[in-house]
Amino acid sequence: MKEYLLNNGVGIPVLGFGTWKAKDGEEAYQATLAALKAGYRHIDTAAIYKNEESVGRAIKDSGIPREELFITTKLWNDIHTYEEAQEAFAASMKRLGLDYLDLYLIHWPNPKSLRENDAWKKRNAEVWRAMEDLYNAGKIRAIGVSNFLPHHLEALLETARMTPAVNQIRLAPGVYQAEAVDFCREHDILLEAWGPFGQGELFQNPDVQAVADKYGKTIAQVALAWSLQEGFLPLPKSVTPSRIASNLECFDIELDTADLEVLKNISGLAGGAPNPDAMDF
Ligand SMILES: NC(=O)c1ccc[n+]([C@@H]2O[C@H](COP(=O)([O-])OP(=O)(O)OC[C@H]3O[C@@H](n4cnc5c(N)ncnc54)[C@H](OP(=O)(O)O)[C@@H]3O)[C@@H](O)[C@H]2O)c1
C-alpha cells in the first residue's frame, strides 16, 4: 500500500482499518485478522475501544513482520497527568503485546471534567510532554492528536516541542471541517478521516449512490477515493469479511473535479462534525 510521509519523515499507509465497536474477543480478533489477510497494513484502535488485546492477538497471529505494520492507539480522557500518560501507554502496549507503537494520539482535547478555567490546556500540555518523551525514548514512531480544532492545536503548540504529526477528525462526503482542515494543512499535520462512511449514513444517500454508479463502484469505494483525493487518510471500519476486502478496491478510482465537489457538499447526513468542547465525556 502507498504511504504518506508524516512531518517527521515516517511513512504511514494511506488507509487504515478502523476498529471502533468491533467487540473485544472473536469479533475484533476475526475482523483484524481478515483485514490483515486482505492487505490492510495499518490498524486504528484506542484504549477506550476495549479491544486492544484482541487486535494485538490478531496482529501476532497474522504472522506479518512487525515492521510491515503500522499500529495506532489512543490515550483516553481519564488520563490527565504526565505520569498517568506514561502508565496508560505502558498498559496499552501490554494489551497490544507490542514493544513499540507507530502512532499514539490524544483521543479528545477537552475532557468534560476539565472544562472549567480551561483546565484541559494544562492537561494536554502535560500528556503531550509525556508522549514527546516516549517518542524521544524510541517507544513511539510518531505522535498526534484527534478531534482537535484550531484553538486546541494553538493552545498545545504554545508549549509543545513537537508539532503533532496527525490530527484524526471526522471527515467524510458531507462532513467537511474546513477550518480544521485548513489549519492542519498549513501546519503540515496529516488529516486522518474517521467515520469515512458517515458512520454508515452514506449508504442510504442517493447522491453518493449516483456518483458510485457513474464509476461502476460501491458507495464505500467512492467515499474512500474521495478521502484519498482530498489527501486525507481514511479509516474504514467493518467486521464483515466481504466488505473488509471490497472496501480496499478504491485505489483505482479517479473522481473528476465536479464529483469531488458533489461529494464534499452532499447534505442530509444527520451526524455532522462533533463539537469536542461539548461532548458528554
Ligand atoms: N478518533 C475518534 O474520536 C474516532 C471516532 C470514531 C471513529 N474513529 C475511528 O474511525 C473508524 C471508522 O469510523 P466508524 O467506525 O465510526 O464509521 P465508518 O467506518 O464510517 O462506518 C462503519 C459502518 O459502515 C459499515 N460498512 C463498512 N463497509 C461497508 C460496506 N462496504 N457496505 C455497507 N456497510 C459498510 C460497517 O458495518 P459492519 O462493521 O457491520 O460491516 C459499520 O456499520 C473507527 O472504527 C475508529 O477506528 C475514531
Side-chain angles (χ1 to χ4, degrees), residues 131-171:
M131 287 163 65
E132 288 172 328
D133 286 352
L134 289 163
Y135 173 87
N136 286 327
K139 297 193 173 157
I140 316 176
R141 296 175 68 228
I143 54 177
V145 297
S146 177
N147 299 302
F148 274 50
L149 299 177
H151 66 283
H152 304 120
L153 282 161
E154 272 160 2
L156 186 76
L157 290 171
E158 279 175 25
T159 55
R161 288 168 283 169
M162 291 172 63
T163 299
V166 159
N167 188 13
Q168 181 181 124
I169 62 175
R170 184 168 188 184
L171 290 167

Side-chain angles (χ1 to χ4, degrees), residues 64-266:
I64 298 167
R66 174 68 183 93
E67 63 276 13
E68 291 178 20
L69 298 175
F70 193 99
I71 312 298
T72 300
T73 194
K74 315 186 191 84
L75 173 135
W76 187 238
N77 290 11
D78 56 350
I79 304 304
H80 296 171
T81 67
Y82 181 96
E83 286 75 22
E84 286 170 2
Q86 296 263 354
E87 285 163 20
F89 173 75
S92 278
M93 297 304 283
K94 193 166 174 216
R95 287 190 293 268
L96 284 162
L98 299 177
D99 53 11
Y100 72 88
L101 186 69
D102 296 283
L103 179 63
Y104 200 34
L105 304 179
I106 303 179
H107 205 145
W108 289 89
N110 197 344
K112 191 179 180 194
S113 61
L114 299 178
R115 289 191 190 143
E116 221 164 286
N117 300 322
D118 288 345
W120 56 271
K121 288 188 181 172
K122 181 164 176 278
R123 175 264 189 177
N124 287 346
E126 279 282 294
V127 300
W128 189 250
R129 191 164 61 83
M131 287 163 65
E132 288 172 328
D133 286 352
L134 289 163
Y135 173 87
N136 286 327
K139 297 193 173 157
I140 316 176
R141 296 175 68 228
I143 54 177
V145 297
S146 177
N147 299 302
F148 274 50
L149 299 177
H151 66 283
H152 304 120
L153 282 161
E154 272 160 2
L156 186 76
L157 290 171
E158 279 175 25
T159 55
R161 288 168 283 169
M162 291 172 63
T163 299
V166 159
N167 188 13
Q168 181 181 124
I169 62 175
R170 184 168 188 184
L171 290 167
V175 188
Y176 196 89
Q177 305 196 54
E179 282 176 21
V181 167
D182 291 348
F183 186 97
C184 289
R185 285 181 174 157
E186 278 158 25
H187 289 79
D188 197 15
I189 298 169
L190 180 72
L191 287 148
E192 292 190 344
W194 68 252
F197 306 139
Q199 304 200 291
E201 274 193 77
L202 284 184
F203 298 114
Q204 279 82 51
N205 189 290
D207 298 331
V208 187
Q209 185 67 60
V211 175
D213 291 346
K214 177 172 162 189
Y215 291 83
K217 288 286 190 172
T218 67
I219 284 182
Q221 290 158 352
V222 295
L224 296 175
W226 175 84
S227 200
L228 292 165
Q229 280 181 246
E230 282 285 348
F232 305 151
L233 190 157
L235 299 168
K237 175 266 180 184
S238 176
V239 294
T240 313
S242 57
R243 292 171 174 174
I244 290 171
S246 75
N247 290 350
L248 271 190
E249 289 164 30
C250 60
F251 297 108
D252 58 348
I253 305 171
E254 191 144 350
L255 299 163
D256 65 33
T257 315
D259 290 325
L260 287 171
E261 278 302 299
V262 167
L263 291 176
K264 181 174 173 180
N265 295 310
I266 62 148

Side-chain angles (χ1 to χ4, degrees), residues 28-33 36 53-63:
Y29 174 77
Q30 294 297 348
T32 307
L33 205 55
L36 293 169
E53 219 170 315
S54 309
V55 167
R57 212 155 33 84
I59 289 168
K60 185 163 168 274
D61 291 353
S62 74

